[in-house]
Amino acid sequence: MIKAVIFDLDGVLVTTDELHFKAWKRLAEELDITGFTKDDNARQRGVSRMASLEVVLEKTDRKFSDEEKLTLAEKKNDMYVKSLESLDKSAVLDGVFDFIAYLRSSGIKTAVGSASKNTPLILEKTDLADKFDAVSCGLDTQKSKPDPEVFLIAAQKIGIAPSECVVIEDSDAGIEAAKAGGMYAVAVGEAENNSKADISVSSLGSLYRTIEMFGR
Ligand code: B16
Ligand code: MG
């Protein structure tokens, strides 16, 4: 029985994944790292800011102290947040508003489970802030995906058992986290070929059927 759907943010609800990529690429260029690619960026999906930084730094022989790494991560975040200034609801992916409305009218709780510490800002700017029963994000957690903490906190906030939650994710780390938390995992977008997911869908449109399949 499915009682709640927990949405990842970046790449599932909104298109901010492209803005993350641009900010990391700019940081890489400032460090004279050429050839930071979309493939590198794919490994940054769903993982924390500091883990994402390591993906960039793998591409240089230069060594950085922990303090320097914090400064670099902050620099990237400043560029990313600046690019969020013009964010509005046009950044919300196709079908999201309708799917959330369908879930709520069916009595299914909705939550966000995101690694991003910018989650509240992004939800506000995209008119999504009042669409969820709870938000769990990088500001609530000690451990990042693939650890299940962010999703377990979401489930706890809405008062639903993990076994009755479906997580929708676009990252391998997120699918792993959902399964480690004892939840159903739906893979979309970049995670579509992840074999650990219970089901993969190409678009949110097919999620209506997915929820019915899970035996609402
Ligand atoms: P921030 P999600 C994740 O969001 C991104 O996919 C990942 O690339 C990013 O490093 C992480 O948030 C942290 O974001 O730097 O804004 O705190 O996919 O879990 O919604
Ligand atoms: Mg994501």
Side-chain angles (χ1 to χ4, degrees):
M1 174 96 163
I2 294 308
K3 293 191 179 162
V5 174
I6 304 173
F7 293 83
D8 173 57
L9 178 69
D10 174 62
V12 170
L13 291 173
V14 289
T15 56
T16 42
D17 42 350
E18 191 56 33
L19 301 177
H20 273 295
F21 174 61
K22 282 189 180 144
W24 284 122
K25 196 163 172 61
R26 267 184 65 190
L27 183 80
E29 281 162 7
E30 284 182 21
L31 295 171
D32 292 326
I33 295 169
T34 49
F36 175 75
T37 64
K38 285 264 179 188
D39 281 346
D40 299 315
N41 177 236
R43 289 191 292 125
Q44 296 176 311
R45 273 178 194 275
V47 303
S48 69
R49 196 178 301 166
M50 295 312 287
S52 294
L53 174 66
E54 294 299 338
V55 175
V56 176
L57 298 186
E58 268 174 25
K59 306 200 77 100
T60 176
D61 292 333
R62 281 170 67 186
K63 296 283 169 250
F64 297 90
S65 67
D66 288 349
E67 207 183 322
E68 286 169 328
K69 285 182 184 179
L70 280 175
T71 306
L72 290 174
E74 226 172 87
K75 199 168 185 184
K76 178 269 172 179
N77 190 56
D78 289 346
M79 292 191 273
Y80 176 61
V81 170
K82 183 106 193 97
S83 73
L84 295 177
E85 267 173 22
S86 57
L87 198 75
D88 60 23
K89 70 176 187 186
S90 66
V92 176
L93 285 157
D94 280 351
V96 165
F97 283 114
D98 286 349
F99 186 54
I100 294 170
Y102 159 80
L103 293 173
R104 301 195 100 180
S105 69
S106 308
I108 296 178
K109 293 216 182 237
T110 55
V112 175
S114 169
S116 178
K117 292 182 172 162
N118 294 300
T119 297
L121 171 70
I122 294 168
L123 293 178
E124 204 56 56
K125 292 194 75 89
T126 54
D127 289 356
L128 282 167
D130 61 352
K131 302 284 183 287
F132 300 96
D133 297 300
V135 174
S136 167
C137 72
L139 297 170
D140 300 282
T141 56
Q142 301 299 318
K143 301 173 209 148
S144 54
K145 302 168 189 176
D147 189 280
E149 188 185 19
V150 73
F151 296 135
L152 293 175
I153 290 174
Q156 199 175 35
K157 284 188 179 186
I158 49 182
I160 303 288
S163 60
E164 295 176 318
C165 294
V166 172
V167 168
I168 304 176
E169 257 293 347
D170 74 320
S171 73
D172 293 338
I175 298 289
E176 220 175 289
K179 295 315 297 172
M183 300 176 180
Y184 290 105
V186 176
V188 292
E190 295 287 322
E192 212 188 330
N193 296 321
N194 189 308
S195 59
K196 291 183 190 154
D198 293 289
I199 193 159
S200 293
V201 293
S202 53
S203 71
L204 281 183
S206 39
L207 282 179
Y208 296 83
R209 263 174 293 133
T210 306
I211 295 298
E212 298 297 334
M213 268 173 61
F214 276 122
R216 187 172 67 77

